[in-house]
Amino acid sequence: MTVLLWILTVLLAFALLVLFFGLFLLWVRAGVEAVGINGEVSVELRYGALHIPVWPRPKHLKRPVPKPKEPAPAKPKRTRKKTKYRYSLNREELDFGELAALALTLLDEMADTLRISRLRVRVLIGTDDAAQTGMLLGGAAAFTGMTVPFLENTFDMQDYHVDVDADFEADHTEWAFTVFCSLRMLRLLIVLLRHRRELHSLYKRLIKKEEAIEHE
């Protein structure tokens, strides 16, 4: 009986230690630094004193390129279809007002833990259709007009600048940004769980899953 009590005590102590360690990790401030320009993006995670490059993937994490093998004698094969899926953005369901409202709600609930140390964004909208360019400019301006004042009034923004404009003679959009923010993971987890239904509904509407059939 004494041995059984000792075993239970050790297991309970181990469980409490794991729980304490997990809560400690969730309480440590984590940050994200992202820099991008015209399609080229680099992202680095910071967790306490750790700096973890996420994108582009570090070389030691990339899969080695297999060496080409000598071609084997051709064998008759039956053609079969392999079903794959691809995901794309459903632009028809894209509502800047809804996105802005949800983003403001999430940020408001994390206002006491989220720090935005640096935020610099520049977007020059251009498409091959002047009417579409104007619509995108209006949506982007509305989104910026709602978000930037909220950030200014909610957070201590030491370094920030957002510039959105349009070039009606350009046929492509140019953009650049740099952002560094940090928060406590425990609060982020709580907020995401609280709004999981809204986020899942938004994901289902915005992301289209389509079949892409390839022949082998």
Side-chain angles (χ1 to χ4, degrees):
M1 190 65 178
T2 305
V3 175
L4 181 59
L5 288 176
W6 271 104
I7 294 175
L8 292 177
T9 302
V10 171
L11 291 177
L12 180 60
F14 180 74
L16 290 176
L17 181 62
V18 171
L19 178 62
F20 175 78
F21 186 69
L23 291 176
F24 174 76
L25 290 179
L26 290 175
W27 188 254
V28 172
R29 184 170 290 276
V32 177
E33 182 175 27
V35 178
I37 178 170
N38 294 335
E40 298 292 332
V41 179
S42 63
V43 181
E44 182 181 80
L45 293 181
R46 298 184 183 181
Y47 196 73
L50 296 177
H51 290 211
I52 307 172
V54 175
W55 188 265
R57 296 183 64 186
K59 293 182 178 180
H60 67 279
L61 295 179
K62 295 181 179 180
R63 296 181 178 178
V65 179
K67 296 181 180 179
K69 298 181 179 180
E70 296 182 359
K75 295 182 180 180
K77 292 184 178 180
R78 296 175 57 187
T79 303
R80 59 177 180 173
K81 296 181 179 180
K82 182 179 180 181
T83 303
K84 292 186 177 180
Y85 296 96
R86 62 183 180 182
Y87 298 87
S88 60
L89 178 64
N90 188 1
R91 298 179 182 274
E92 296 178 357
E93 295 290 339
L94 187 60
D95 187 340
F96 286 101
E98 181 184 6
L99 290 176
L102 180 58
L104 293 178
T105 300
L106 297 177
L107 290 173
D108 184 55
E109 295 187 11
M110 295 187 295
D112 59 340
T113 186
L114 179 63
R115 295 177 184 172
I116 302 178
S117 304
R118 184 168 59 258
L119 175 64
R120 303 185 70 85
V121 180
R122 183 179 183 276
V123 180
L124 186 62
I125 301 174
T127 66
D128 55 1
D129 184 354
Q132 184 179 7
T133 300
M135 292 178 60
L136 290 175
L137 177 61
F143 179 80
T144 303
M146 293 176 60
T147 305
V148 173
F150 171 80
L151 296 176
E152 292 175 337
N153 296 327
T154 307
F155 305 102
D156 183 14
M157 307 285 288
Q158 298 294 333
D159 180 12
Y160 71 98
H161 178 73
V162 178
D163 180 22
V164 179
D165 204 345
D167 185 351
F168 291 91
E169 297 181 356
D171 59 356
H172 65 281
T173 298
E174 297 183 355
W175 54 267
F177 74 90
T178 176
V179 59
F180 176 72
C181 59
S182 62
L183 50 75
R184 300 194 188 280
M185 297 301 295
L186 183 60
R187 175 58 64 83
L188 174 63
L189 180 62
I190 293 173
V191 172
L192 292 180
L193 288 175
R194 186 179 300 162
H195 295 275
R196 62 187 181 278
R197 293 181 180 177
E198 301 168 60
L199 293 170
H200 183 261
S201 175
L202 184 64
Y203 172 82
K204 295 292 288 186
R205 286 192 292 107
L206 291 182
I207 304 301
K208 294 190 298 184
K209 182 179 179 181
E210 301 173 338
E211 288 190 2
I213 300 177
E214 296 183 357
H215 295 274
E216 288 190 347

